[in-house]
Amino acid sequence: MSERGRGPDLSRGEFGLLILGLVGRREMYGYEIVAQLRATTDGVVDLPEGTVYPALRRLERDGLIAGRWVEMAEGTPRRRYYRLTTAGEHALAVGREEWLRFKAAADSVLGS
Amino acid sequence: MSERGRGPDLSRGEFGLLILGLVGRREMYGYEIVAQLRATTDGVVDLPEGTVYPALRRLERDGLIAGRWVEMAEGTPRRRYYRLTTAGEHALAVGREEWLRFKAAADSVLGS
DNA sequence: TCTAGATACCTAGAGGCTCTAGGTCAAGGC
DNA sequence: GCCTTGACCTAGAGCCTCTAGGTATCTAGA
């Protein structure tokens, strides 16, 4: 087994890894992820909802995160909270290392 | 004017910026760029020709690089050498800064 | 009152990129 | 005779982001 669906690759412009990074800290819901991403990165990463929600569905489909619906108080919209699965924790660890390698590689080309 | 074709964005998985980085060092041809990219990054960035040649055409179309054909010796294939244009130098400078910002942003999310 | 914004979810389709999987042609090694 | 190397090229698949909407409720402001 293994080598099945290699997980999100930041170096190829896939922001799924950043979502894994946030969800790895604590359970989080989509709308919150959008805001946290913007806040944590000082606005540098500012993904529209049309990017984040489909990405969450892919990550869940691929078994890297697991979601559950949480009903909120009267008239407040319900939320879908996500947490990392074991596969997601692994993908995050792998992704972090790939990111380190890619950073060094790009820096060596760009001379930073 | 300006704000026309913002140049390649590494954070979105566009490798054009890495090509600009190499060509910015010295005049280079496609086949050489493929090899240099692999060598410089220790194999981490290993783009197939089917990625690099179309990227070179886009960069040239967008006025960031300029190419010229160089005939080689008897029976050796000719090469198309590329150099940065002024716009390309600017795009490289902008891209480098964006890359620095994105690196910091991703690190702050991934906690590296 | 009416509008706008925030909260929270969703989707269809366009656009644009990488990558696969080929192809061309000549020289040189085995 | 065949494979590898050098050097270029392309069509199409695949996949992702992003645009531009939509739903629904509540609150604030003009």
Side-chain angles (χ1 to χ4, degrees):
Chain A
M1 66 217 71
S2 121
E3 220 51 48
R4 171 75 358 117
R6 307 168 14 283
D9 186 346
L10 201 47
S11 80
R12 273 163 185 74
E14 296 172 19
F15 294 113
L17 185 63
L18 296 185
I19 296 179
L20 289 187
L22 278 189
V23 173
R25 295 182 184 176
R26 57 177 167 82
E27 219 184 15
M28 235 177 254
Y29 58 97
Y31 199 80
E32 186 186 15
I33 289 171
V34 172
Q36 276 299 311
L37 224 33
R38 186 170 37 228
T40 307
T41 66
D42 256 318
V44 172
V45 175
D46 189 5
L47 302 181
E49 298 176 27
T51 296
V52 172
Y53 286 115
L56 286 169
R57 299 189 149 270
R58 282 195 300 276
L59 292 171
E60 188 168 24
R61 178 200 66 194
D62 295 345
L64 303 185
I65 59 177
R68 65 185 178 99
W69 285 109
V70 176
E71 296 299 329
M72 308 305 291
E74 279 298 290
T76 333
R78 61 183 188 164
R79 301 170 178 171
R80 189 161 177 84
Y81 275 92
Y82 295 96
R83 58 168 182 78
L84 286 192
T85 62
T86 306
E89 283 167 19
H90 184 246
L92 177 55
V94 170
R96 263 198 251 259
E97 281 183 34
E98 273 174 11
W99 168 240
L100 290 182
R101 273 198 299 276
F102 180 72
K103 252 197 314 184
D107 280 343
S108 75
V109 171
L110 293 175
S112 318
Chain B
M1 63 215 73
S2 119
E3 220 49 50
R4 171 72 2 113
R6 306 169 14 282
D9 187 347
L10 202 47
S11 80
R12 272 163 185 76
E14 296 171 21
F15 295 112
L17 185 63
L18 297 185
I19 295 178
L20 290 187
L22 278 189
V23 173
R25 295 182 183 177
R26 57 178 166 81
E27 221 184 13
M28 235 178 253
Y29 58 98
Y31 200 80
E32 185 186 16
I33 290 171
V34 172
Q36 275 299 312
L37 224 33
R38 187 171 36 228
T40 307
T41 67
D42 256 318
V44 172
V45 175
D46 188 5
L47 303 181
E49 298 177 26
T51 296
V52 171
Y53 286 114
L56 285 169
R57 300 189 148 269
R58 282 196 300 274
L59 292 171
E60 188 167 24
R61 179 200 66 194
D62 296 344
L64 304 184
I65 59 178
R68 65 185 177 97
W69 285 109
V70 176
E71 296 300 330
M72 307 306 289
E74 279 297 293
T76 334
R78 60 184 190 163
R79 302 171 178 169
R80 189 162 177 83
Y81 274 92
Y82 294 97
R83 58 169 181 77
L84 285 193
T85 62
T86 306
E89 283 167 20
H90 184 248
L92 176 54
V94 170
R96 265 199 250 259
E97 281 184 33
E98 274 174 10
W99 168 240
L100 289 182
R101 274 199 299 277
F102 180 71
K103 252 198 314 184
D107 280 343
S108 76
V109 171
L110 294 175
S112 318

